[in-house]
Amino acid sequence: MKRRTLLLGAAAAGGGLLLGWAALPPRSRLGDRALLALQAGEVAFNGWIKVAADGGVALAMNRSEMGQGVHTALPMLVAEELDIGLDRVRLVQAGADAVYGNVATFVASLPFHPRDSEPGRRTAVVKGGEWVVAKLARELGINMTGASTSIVDAWEPLRLAAATVRAQLVGAASLRWRLPKEEIVVRDGVVSHAFGVHAHFGELASAAAGTPAGDVALKPRAAWTLIGRDTPRTDVVAKSNGSAVYGLDVRPEGLLYAAVRMCPVLGGAPQRIGNEDEVLRRPGVQRLVRLPARAGATAGVAVVARSSWHARQAVEALAIDWALPPAGTVDSQAIAASLEAAARDALAQDGGLAYHRRGDVAAAGREAGPGARTVEALYRAPYIAHAALEPINCTAQVRDGHVTVWAPTQVPGIARAHAARAAGVDEHAVTLHVTLLGGGFGRRLDADFVAQAVAVAQETGGRPVQLLWSREEDTTHDYYRPAAAAALKAVLGADGRPLSLRVASAGDAITPRWMERGLPWLAGPVDLPDKTTAEGLFDQPYDIAHQRIAHVATRSGVPVGYWRSVGHSHNAFFLESFIDELAHTAQQDPVAYRLALLAGSPRHAAVLQLAAAQAGWGRPLPAGRARGVALHESFGSIVAQVAEVSLPAGGVPRVHRVVCAVDCGTVVNPGIVRQQMEGGIVFGLSAALHGGIDIVAGAVQQKNFPEQPLLTLAETPRIETHLVASEHPPGGVGEPGTPPIAPAVANALFVLTGVRRRGLPLRG
């Protein structure tokens, strides 16, 4: 991102924008809509920053806060470059404005660009993929929080925006005081000169907004006073005292409540309600609304009432005859068997789409020579639900041709589009308020619940209505992480080192399904290659001369979506467990074996060595315990974990300690990075030990937490996180902590039992 791509001067003062992929568009494209609405005495410098009369700063926040700390980390970037206290930076939610989109980084990291045979080079598989990427970037500017890109996207643009404002303030002071800019300093929100003149930002703002910035330089690393420091999160107090506003906390005047029921069989719809009149006579009940299957939303029935309790009791009392899907029903066991067969066949026949090729795997097998050994294994992972603690909800009001939505969403632009389609209005007639999210994990990258809420609000005579799914509806109508299988085969030389590696995985592609239901301008099926299915397999760091990493894309009929760390979440389990199998076959230590394959990847080797050293790798453990290790790179960050595990009677592993080392490039806030590693480990451990969705005759069997429990506090291991000092640009931290934990635990269980567990979850 070069300074020439930013339009951050006076021409953008009415509300410019900043994107990682292009220059700011001309102001005329924005019409009369000011992205940073001005209060009395405020001055907008660009689409990101405005200055208040008292010298405080307002920052447009174009990311959803769901516990990952962006409401602290992103303001830190601005406060650093402006030399102002973090407590003086106020956030203004950017909402659904497409001009705040981050689609360039998101799209580049996800769907269509596998690595080809030249290291580091990426090419489009099909021209259609390039067209979709271009259309997403240029016409939609999708604003989403996902793929661990918040800091990655903001790292240079936000600092440049703030540095430009600082340069303008210094320039205005220089003109006012007739003193050289080089002698003017900025500290704690005050611009001053040694002669004794000074002014806070608000006193210079009007003049500064029209002052050319000149050459803008970012603060050198040595001058940082905030970035890299353990800075307390700014949302701790509000989240502790209950004043933080999540989706369920929204209370507009005249609020009604709605509860929803959907068909217990996936793809079904309500046909006949036998006791509708009886239910409508219940106390507090106002009306019943049939929800069509449209705009990506599942068909169902909603009951509107004075309270959520009245609504829930009424909707559960409905006697509904369901119309089952005409194409039949799905079964997770049958799907798993077909995925395993597809993976085996692709491995045997070099089938599937090859996301990575290197050397000649066939020749390597033929020329292995005496002492060579072949290792082959099949791994599998189940469907899994997101299980965010805040159930699915949305509040909507439709009145006088205008729609107002309060939603805990990761995709405000798409949520607004769904609301507009559901109400039959233009998107500019929709006002979207993004609340805090009580967990997202990718589930709130879909906006089906927004369409449902607006459909109900159309029937309430202009009164706002809060639609709330029960935990049971949330669990049985999720967009699940796809079930997957992978067949892996390696040929080891006489020294035990792998000469070749073949991997063939199979599973549903997420991105095409998400685009079909989420992007209004796309009609019909989308069948383009989806890199998320193979990530974590084709981009592994190990130096193996001959490789073929392929994927067979399937379409099972089960609704699938992005789940924290996406394909990495199960592909790390497949690959890192298999690497341990290779080390065992070679009769070598798992850490030493990996290090020998990382000679050309010093960052990866350093992370692995740090984790092993801090975990006491090689030192004796109490009887009945063992250590397992895993290393994985995802979203620009490298993570190694060592898990200390026992296996009590009953078959559910007990994880006592996890040592985590991470190289995520430059660290903005060490405390947030540690928190995200801990959260990712707990999230991944819950899935590794307990997670899984079973579908029988089209019906999801798990209904609530008793059937798919989260890790309890008593089960949570001691977690130690160690950060590698780095001057590389920041990588993601929201998701990379999740992938290594399952293989680390599985590898420890093999040491304990001598039995290799090749399927998730690891219980039993």
Side-chain angles (χ1 to χ4, degrees), residues 244-265:
V245 178
Y246 293 84
L248 288 176
D249 297 319
V250 172
R251 292 293 184 272
E253 185 177 354
L255 182 65
L256 295 171
Y257 298 84
V260 64
R261 267 180 73 189
M262 293 167 282
C263 183
V265 174

Side-chain angles (χ1 to χ4, degrees), residues 73 76-78 80-81 155 159 221 224-231 666-670:
M76 284 177 66
L77 303 179
V78 170
E80 180 70 79
E81 290 296 334
W155 174 242
R159 289 188 302 143
R221 185 177 294 263
W224 290 347
T225 59
L226 193 58
I227 294 176
R229 300 290 179 90
D230 252 326
T231 304
T666 297
V667 173
V668 175
N669 187 315

Side-chain angles (χ1 to χ4, degrees), residues 105-126:
T105 298
F106 189 83
V107 171
S109 69
L110 288 181
F112 310 113
H113 296 275
R115 176 187 296 175
D116 69 6
S117 57
E118 296 179 31
R121 181 183 172 198
R122 296 178 184 272
T123 58
V125 176
V126 290

Side-chain angles (χ1 to χ4, degrees), residues 50-59 75 78-79 82-91 187-190 200-202 234:
K50 63 181 180 179
V51 173
D54 65 357
V57 171
L59 168 65
V78 170
L82 282 174
D83 265 313
I84 193 171
L86 188 59
D87 60 344
R88 303 296 310 283
V89 180
R90 178 173 62 87
L91 301 183
R187 185 175 294 112
D188 294 331
V190 175
H200 64 62
F201 288 177
T234 58

Side-chain angles (χ1 to χ4, degrees), residues 412-630:
I414 290 176
R416 184 172 66 176
H418 276 250
R421 289 182 67 191
V425 300
D426 187 87
E427 286 187 32
H428 295 303
V430 178
T431 299
L432 179 72
H433 303 282
V434 180
T435 68
L436 295 175
L437 284 61
F441 313 125
R443 173 59 180 94
R444 289 176 165 97
L445 285 170
D446 277 281
D448 50 328
F449 53 95
V450 175
Q452 285 187 338
V454 172
V456 175
Q458 287 182 288
E459 306 295 328
T460 58
R463 292 181 65 178
V465 60
Q466 185 173 97
L467 180 76
L468 171 63
W469 290 20
S470 67
R471 178 64 62 190
E472 289 76 13
E473 296 293 346
D474 195 354
T475 303
T476 58
H477 292 87
D478 199 353
Y479 291 106
Y480 307 99
R481 184 190 73 180
L488 304 96
K489 184 176 182 179
V491 175
L492 307 186
D495 60 356
R497 184 172 178 139
L499 302 173
S500 67
L501 173 67
R502 296 187 191 193
V503 181
S505 58
D508 283 12
I510 300 171
T511 303
R513 307 293 83 78
W514 176 82
M515 293 171 68
E516 286 173 2
R517 64 181 178 260
L519 303 182
W521 48 267
L522 281 178
V526 177
D527 286 307
L528 294 170
D530 183 1
K531 184 177 71 71
T532 69
T533 58
E535 61 188 0
L537 292 173
F538 75 83
D539 48 0
Q540 49 83 18
Y542 298 114
D543 183 15
I544 302 172
H546 305 281
Q547 300 179 33
R548 185 181 189 273
I549 316 297
H551 180 80
V552 178
T554 59
R555 190 161 188 159
S556 67
V558 175
V560 296
Y562 301 113
W563 189 89
R564 189 175 190 173
S565 72
V566 203
H568 292 283
S569 66
H570 48 79
N571 288 337
F573 169 66
F574 300 160
L575 183 64
E576 281 299 289
S577 296
F578 190 64
I579 293 294
D580 243 51
E581 291 202 51
L582 302 185
H584 176 73
T585 302
Q587 298 183 336
Q588 296 180 23
D589 175 81
V591 171
Y593 191 81
R594 285 172 169 82
L595 288 173
L597 299 176
L598 294 171
S601 303
R603 290 182 69 187
H604 296 78
V607 172
L608 178 59
Q609 289 171 320
L610 178 60
Q614 293 296 329
W617 187 267
R619 293 205 297 264
L621 283 170
R625 295 192 186 185
R627 296 186 185 97
V629 66

Side-chain angles (χ1 to χ4, degrees), residues 6 169 256 357 368 423 436 449 473 506 547 565 650 690 724 733 753:
L6 305 179
L169 290 166
L256 295 171
R357 289 190 186 93
L436 295 175
F449 53 95
E473 296 293 346
Q547 300 179 33
S565 72
H690 306 299
V724 175
V733 297
T753 66

Side-chain angles (χ1 to χ4, degrees), residues 181-201:
K181 289 190 292 185
E182 295 75 15
E183 298 177 6
I184 295 173
V185 298
V186 181
R187 185 175 294 112
D188 294 331
V190 175
V191 184
S192 64
H193 189 273
F195 284 175
V197 290
H198 58 84
H200 64 62
F201 288 177

Side-chain angles (χ1 to χ4, degrees), residues 131-514:
W131 176 83
V132 171
V133 171
K135 189 170 183 69
L136 280 167
R138 287 194 290 268
E139 297 191 15
L140 290 182
I142 295 174
N143 175 7
M144 61 178 66
T145 304
S148 297
T149 60
S150 292
I151 291 292
V152 175
D153 266 328
W155 174 242
E156 209 169 52
L158 270 193
R159 289 188 302 143
L160 280 167
T164 302
V165 173
R166 176 188 172 120
Q168 290 176 278
L169 290 166
V170 169
S174 173
L175 292 172
R176 177 177 296 183
W177 300 332
R178 298 184 181 181
L179 293 168
K181 289 190 292 185
E182 295 75 15
E183 298 177 6
I184 295 173
V185 298
V186 181
R187 185 175 294 112
D188 294 331
V190 175
V191 184
S192 64
H193 189 273
F195 284 175
V197 290
H198 58 84
H200 64 62
F201 288 177
E203 294 170 313
L204 295 168
S206 294
T211 301
D215 290 332
V216 176
L218 297 174
K219 287 174 74 173
R221 185 177 294 263
W224 290 347
T225 59
L226 193 58
I227 294 176
R229 300 290 179 90
D230 252 326
T231 304
R233 286 176 56 155
T234 58
D235 54 2
V236 168
V237 173
K239 289 182 176 179
S240 300
N241 65 19
S243 61
V245 178
Y246 293 84
L248 288 176
D249 297 319
V250 172
R251 292 293 184 272
E253 185 177 354
L255 182 65
L256 295 171
Y257 298 84
V260 64
R261 267 180 73 189
M262 293 167 282
C263 183
V265 174
L266 296 174
Q271 189 172 36
R272 177 180 173 274
I273 301 174
N275 61 342
E276 180 174 348
D277 291 340
E278 175 189 335
V279 170
L280 287 173
R281 288 194 296 269
R282 281 175 166 248
V285 173
Q286 302 238 335
R287 65 184 305 113
L288 183 147
V289 180
R290 286 172 171 79
L291 299 171
R294 65 181 183 187
T298 304
V301 178
V303 171
V304 181
R306 289 199 306 264
S307 75
S308 59
W309 177 255
H310 285 108
R312 173 55 47 197
Q313 293 300 303
V315 81
E316 292 297 339
L318 291 172
I320 305 174
D321 293 331
W322 299 100
L324 300 184
T329 56
V330 295
D331 182 276
S332 57
Q333 286 192 359
I335 292 170
S338 68
L339 293 177
E340 292 172 16
R344 284 195 185 99
D345 290 347
L347 186 73
Q349 302 171 20
D350 284 345
L353 175 64
Y355 279 83
H356 176 50
R357 289 190 186 93
R358 180 179 178 184
D360 186 339
V361 291
R366 292 192 301 268
E367 301 167 4
R373 287 160 289 181
T374 298
V375 182
E376 189 168 350
L378 182 73
Y379 282 81
R380 64 196 68 83
Y383 292 105
I384 195 165
H386 294 85
L389 288 183
E390 181 187 22
I392 293 299
N393 70 91
C394 179
T395 303
Q397 183 174 28
V398 180
R399 184 170 61 186
D400 300 330
H402 189 86
V403 180
T404 305
V405 174
W406 297 262
T409 177
Q410 294 175 246
V411 280
I414 290 176
R416 184 172 66 176
H418 276 250
R421 289 182 67 191
V425 300
D426 187 87
E427 286 187 32
H428 295 303
V430 178
T431 299
L432 179 72
H433 303 282
V434 180
T435 68
L436 295 175
L437 284 61
F441 313 125
R443 173 59 180 94
R444 289 176 165 97
L445 285 170
D446 277 281
D448 50 328
F449 53 95
V450 175
Q452 285 187 338
V454 172
V456 175
Q458 287 182 288
E459 306 295 328
T460 58
R463 292 181 65 178
V465 60
Q466 185 173 97
L467 180 76
L468 171 63
W469 290 20
S470 67
R471 178 64 62 190
E472 289 76 13
E473 296 293 346
D474 195 354
T475 303
T476 58
H477 292 87
D478 199 353
Y479 291 106
Y480 307 99
R481 184 190 73 180
L488 304 96
K489 184 176 182 179
V491 175
L492 307 186
D495 60 356
R497 184 172 178 139
L499 302 173
S500 67
L501 173 67
R502 296 187 191 193
V503 181
S505 58
D508 283 12
I510 300 171
T511 303
R513 307 293 83 78
W514 176 82

